């Protein structure tokens, strides 16, 4: 929706904004990143929304980007992850960091979000790890967090996916190989080490 921001609450973290649509004010829950992206009170904003409906409630959630809304939907597909937890994760982590955490199985990074304990972080990582590559399509690219610009990293990911590895597995293995070998590593060395890591 295209609307006017008339106020905001709890802007230090996941919180709320009041959006004026044709003279009607809507209270919208949003992540801290969306609240920051909305800009100054009184300005026009474009916001992507999601309506949650229950027996005794209606909740409107807002997202600065459609990509963030798509990640919210994916996060809430995990058992034990409600709207509050998903917004906390999206407040604590950039989308690229979330992709990296999922692809590499880094549950500790996800556990940095408010309200996310180690067990829930592990469940999120386990259930969404294999979907991290597919979510690159939501972000407009086919990979996870490996640069899509031409170069050894992107070529190594392509090589591993060509061998049948899932995009998330390929990206995580190449990232681990690159970290071990250094930024100047060549394609052959990256692929050889990434294959060893992916096969473990």
């Amino acid at each position: 929706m295209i609307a006017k921001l008339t106020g905001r609450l709890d802007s230090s973290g996941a919180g709320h904004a009041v959006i004026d649509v044709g003279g009607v004010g809507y209270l919208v829950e949003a992540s801290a990143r969306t609240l920051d992206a909305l800009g100054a009170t009184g300005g026009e904003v474009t916001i992507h929304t999601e309506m949650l409906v229950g027996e005794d409630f209606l909740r409107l959630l807002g997202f600065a980007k459609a990509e963030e809304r798509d990640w919210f939907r994916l996060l809430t597909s995990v058992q034990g992850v409600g709207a509050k937890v998903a917004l906390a994760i999206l407040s604590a982590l950039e989308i690229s960091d979330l992709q990296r955490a999922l692809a590499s199985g880094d549950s500790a990074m996800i556990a940095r979000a408010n309200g996310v304990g180690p067990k829930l972080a592990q469940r999120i990582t386990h259930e969404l790890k294999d979907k991290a590559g597919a979510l690159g399509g939501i972000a407009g690219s086919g990979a996870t967090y490996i640069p899509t610009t031409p170069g050894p990293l992107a070529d190594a990911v392509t090589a591993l996916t060509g061998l049948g590895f899932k995009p998330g597995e390929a990206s995580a293995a190449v990232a681990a190989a690159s970290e071990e070998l250094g930024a100047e590593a060549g394609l052959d060395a990256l692929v050889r080490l990434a294959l060893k890591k992916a096969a473990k």
Side-chain angles (χ1 to χ4, degrees):
M1 68 173 68
I2 298 176
K4 184 178 287 186
L5 178 65
T6 60
R8 64 178 79 226
L9 305 167
D10 307 322
S11 59
S12 60
H16 301 80
V18 179
I19 306 291
D20 181 337
V21 183
V24 178
Y26 293 89
L27 184 65
V28 178
E29 293 180 58
S31 70
R33 295 185 191 282
T34 285
L35 290 175
D36 288 343
L38 291 180
T41 300
E44 282 198 355
V45 295
T46 299
I47 192 162
H48 303 269
T49 58
E50 178 87 351
M51 177 72 79
L52 301 182
V53 181
E55 287 185 11
D56 56 354
F57 69 86
L58 283 174
R59 294 167 67 187
L60 187 63
L61 292 95
F63 306 91
K65 300 177 181 177
E67 175 189 7
E68 185 185 16
R69 181 180 60 189
D70 292 334
W71 275 93
F72 171 84
R73 290 171 176 167
L74 189 78
L75 286 166
T76 54
S77 72
V78 177
Q79 183 182 359
V81 178
K84 184 177 180 180
V85 169
L87 288 178
I89 293 170
L90 293 169
S91 294
L93 299 173
E94 294 276 1
I95 296 296
S96 58
D97 292 333
L98 180 54
Q99 285 180 303
R100 176 165 51 251
L102 291 174
S104 62
D106 186 357
S107 61
M109 182 179 285
I110 294 172
R112 293 193 319 211
N114 287 336
V116 181
K119 286 185 178 179
L120 181 57
Q122 287 175 354
R123 185 186 308 146
I124 292 168
T125 304
H126 175 74
E127 290 191 23
L128 301 184
K129 182 174 184 177
D130 292 338
K131 297 180 182 178
L135 283 169
I138 292 173
S141 67
T144 53
Y145 63 95
I146 294 296
T148 55
T149 52
L153 290 178
D155 291 344
V157 171
T158 300
L160 263 68
T161 55
L163 292 170
F165 289 96
K166 294 176 182 176
E169 294 172 335
S171 294
V174 171
S178 175
E179 188 175 333
E180 188 173 316
L181 295 172
E184 302 302 317
L187 176 60
D188 289 344
L190 277 172
V191 171
R192 278 198 302 270
L193 185 55
L195 281 170
K196 290 179 182 177
K197 291 185 176 296
K200 287 182 179 179

